Amino acid sequence: MGGGRGVANVGKSVTVRCPDCGHGHQFTAPAYPCPCGSAVSAPLITGAPATRVVRRSWDDEWVTVGCSGCGRRDQWPHPELGCQCGAVLRVPVRPVTVGTKHDAVNAAALYLREIGFRDVVRCEGEPEAGVDLRGPGLVAQVEPGARPADLRAVECLWLNALSESAVSAFFSLAGYADEARDRADDLGVPLFVLDPTGAPQPVNGPADELDRSHA
């Protein structure tokens, strides 16, 4: 991922630039009360571009955040702000931990938007086989389980991308079986591993190329 990005401390403001008009805003994430009495604020990512809200879905409206006081994890509204040009901007947030498929898919979507796929959305309802996220010219799969992603999963994603003439990207929490990695290299499927904070790390050549070409 590109340099200059990090997670802002709770309560600190970040500069958010509107992708439509270029106007810069100083923004601080709102704080919400945890049942333990601590104030919880979503960790904003410094230097990552905001995205314009063009349509709303339930999954995009919420982000999982951990309380620094008691460790409790709850969902809170995703930080947004209104620009003077009329655009509503969603401010990039990095979940503190990835514990559910919801967290993992959101982390993958955020990364893909950061590297240039602006209109990536989660598949509505039950995702079709092999696809959790899609955007113009892109399909992506997210595997949040404890077992490494297998050969069949990689081939299924590749076939979906081939049928749509799209770029593919696979994200896994537990890594990949050896035969899955070998096949992904043969087919040119980018493979990423999600670390515990939700940050994707490229693990093969096609993933490195995708990351660099859209940085």
Side-chain angles (χ1 to χ4, degrees):
M1 296 169 65
R5 295 176 185 169
V7 180
N9 293 331
V10 173
K12 298 293 185 180
S13 65
V14 299
T15 300
V16 178
R17 194 164 300 279
C18 176
D20 285 3
C21 70
H23 184 77
H25 304 265
Q26 287 299 119
F27 178 78
T28 303
Y32 298 96
C34 178
C36 75
S38 300
V40 178
S41 184
L44 306 179
I45 301 178
T46 60
T51 56
R52 184 178 184 187
V53 178
V54 293
R55 65 175 182 176
R56 293 189 177 277
S57 69
W58 178 262
D59 286 332
D60 287 338
E61 298 295 311
W62 304 91
V63 62
T64 303
V65 181
C67 174
S68 60
C70 66
R72 178 189 175 101
R73 298 171 70 252
D74 281 314
Q75 289 191 315
W76 301 102
H78 198 126
E80 295 179 356
L81 67 89
C83 181
Q84 60 194 29
C85 72
V88 177
L89 308 179
R90 184 165 287 132
V91 183
V93 168
R94 180 72 72 194
V96 174
T97 58
V98 173
T100 66
K101 179 151 188 174
H102 173 87
D103 297 340
V105 172
N106 280 352
L110 175 59
Y111 168 77
L112 290 168
R113 291 167 186 151
E114 287 177 1
I115 66 171
F117 296 99
R118 300 291 185 221
D119 298 319
V120 173
V121 295
R122 185 175 183 139
C123 294
E124 296 293 338
E126 286 297 321
E128 59 195 271
V131 177
D132 290 296
L133 295 164
R134 64 173 58 252
L138 173 78
V139 292
Q141 170 75 358
V142 182
E143 176 50 64
R147 296 174 63 88
D150 60 19
L151 172 63
R152 183 178 180 278
V154 169
E155 289 183 333
C156 185
L157 175 63
W158 175 75
L159 287 171
N160 277 302
L162 185 66
S163 68
E164 299 185 27
S165 299
V167 174
S168 63
F170 204 117
F171 300 84
S172 172
L173 274 173
Y176 302 87
D178 290 342
E179 61 270 23
R181 291 189 64 161
D182 292 342
R183 189 61 170 151
D185 289 341
D186 292 340
L187 298 174
V189 176
L191 301 181
F192 297 85
V193 169
L194 292 169
D195 73 16
T197 70
Q201 305 296 330
V203 296
N204 69 347
D208 283 325
E209 291 177 10
L210 183 66
D211 184 86
R212 288 195 301 266
S213 65
H214 290 81

